[in-house]
Amino acid sequence: SPGAPMEARHQMPDFSNASQPPLMFGRDTTISDLTYYAEKGCIVDVLESLTTPHLKTLGSRMLADYAKMPNRRVAVASNTRILEFVQSTALEIGSGCDASLDF
């Protein structure tokens, strides 16, 4: 409902149970949805759950916004799994380009 707190929209998974299903996002996912979980300390889990080019693009945008704060920038830049996401996403997007185009 409009005006409802963000917590009402999202269900935080219980990460203490290893058999808990991973986060799942779909076509209606927004950057705000991804940011919500990132701010709850689940940024790596968020990135690992992004499986489509659209979701990976949203994840990249979320990371760029998330890392604008200096204390977060260091955390993002020093996390190997986050850097692997950025690298693999960039390579995936880059491999879809037509190499014959002049930029």
Side-chain angles (χ1 to χ4, degrees), residues 65-76:
D65 289 343
Y66 188 82
K68 285 181 181 175
M69 295 178 67
N71 60 325
R72 290 180 178 171
R73 189 175 309 123
V74 172
V76 167

Side-chain angles (χ1 to χ4, degrees), residues 48-85:
E48 288 178 350
S49 69
L50 305 178
T51 56
T52 68
H54 172 71
L55 289 173
K56 289 178 181 183
T57 299
L58 287 179
S60 297
R61 290 179 183 166
M62 180 271 301
L63 272 176
D65 289 343
Y66 188 82
K68 285 181 181 175
M69 295 178 67
N71 60 325
R72 290 180 178 171
R73 189 175 309 123
V74 172
V76 167
S78 64
N79 187 309
T80 303
R81 290 166 75 186
I82 292 173
L83 296 175
E84 287 170 352
F85 168 83

Side-chain angles (χ1 to χ4, degrees), residues 7-88:
E7 266 81 345
R9 181 172 175 198
H10 301 282
Q11 289 288 324
M12 277 298 294
D14 177 11
F15 291 105
S16 64
N17 182 354
S19 65
Q20 179 72 26
L23 294 172
M24 296 180 69
F25 299 101
R27 289 189 320 209
D28 296 329
T29 298
T30 65
I31 291 175
S32 296
D33 296 329
L34 302 180
T35 301
Y36 171 82
Y37 289 104
E39 290 177 347
K40 296 293 184 183
C42 304
I43 194 165
V44 171
D45 298 300
V46 167
L47 297 177
E48 288 178 350
S49 69
L50 305 178
T51 56
T52 68
H54 172 71
L55 289 173
K56 289 178 181 183
T57 299
L58 287 179
S60 297
R61 290 179 183 166
M62 180 271 301
L63 272 176
D65 289 343
Y66 188 82
K68 285 181 181 175
M69 295 178 67
N71 60 325
R72 290 180 178 171
R73 189 175 309 123
V74 172
V76 167
S78 64
N79 187 309
T80 303
R81 290 166 75 186
I82 292 173
L83 296 175
E84 287 170 352
F85 168 83
V86 171
Q87 180 182 22
S88 67

Side-chain angles (χ1 to χ4, degrees), residues 94-103:
S95 68
C97 293
D98 184 348
S100 67
L101 293 177
D102 267 315
F103 290 99

